[in-house]
Amino acid sequence: DRPTAALVDLATALKLNPEEARAHWLRSRILAAAGRPKEALAAVETALKLDPKAAEYILSRAGLLADQG
């Protein structure tokens, strides 16, 4: 399926450049959409460590935390 293929592609991209914050953020979005919120939160946390001022990463993290209650 598409989410699985996207996660495979992102894993490859992250092996090549593990410091790419946007790839971690995209991985987070896909994981969240796939119903894997804990993994999604971990991925967005990594993105934020790499780029702490990125508004979309901050918003994604807030949304994931809100969804978890």
Side-chain angles (χ1 to χ4, degrees):
D1 63 8
R2 283 185 160 173
T4 301
L7 287 171
V8 169
D9 289 344
L10 285 166
T12 300
L14 287 167
K15 282 182 186 176
L16 296 171
N17 185 4
E19 303 298 311
E20 179 57 49
R22 186 164 176 80
H24 288 283
W25 175 69
L26 290 170
R27 184 172 179 273
S28 172
R29 299 204 23 134
I30 294 166
L31 289 166
R36 296 162 61 181
K38 289 182 181 181
E39 292 172 85
L41 185 58
V44 80
E45 292 280 354
T46 301
L48 277 166
K49 286 178 186 172
L50 296 168
D51 188 358
K53 294 182 180 180
E56 59 267 338
Y57 307 166
I58 295 167
L59 291 172
S60 289
R61 181 179 182 273
L64 286 165
L65 291 172
D67 288 347
Q68 290 182 12

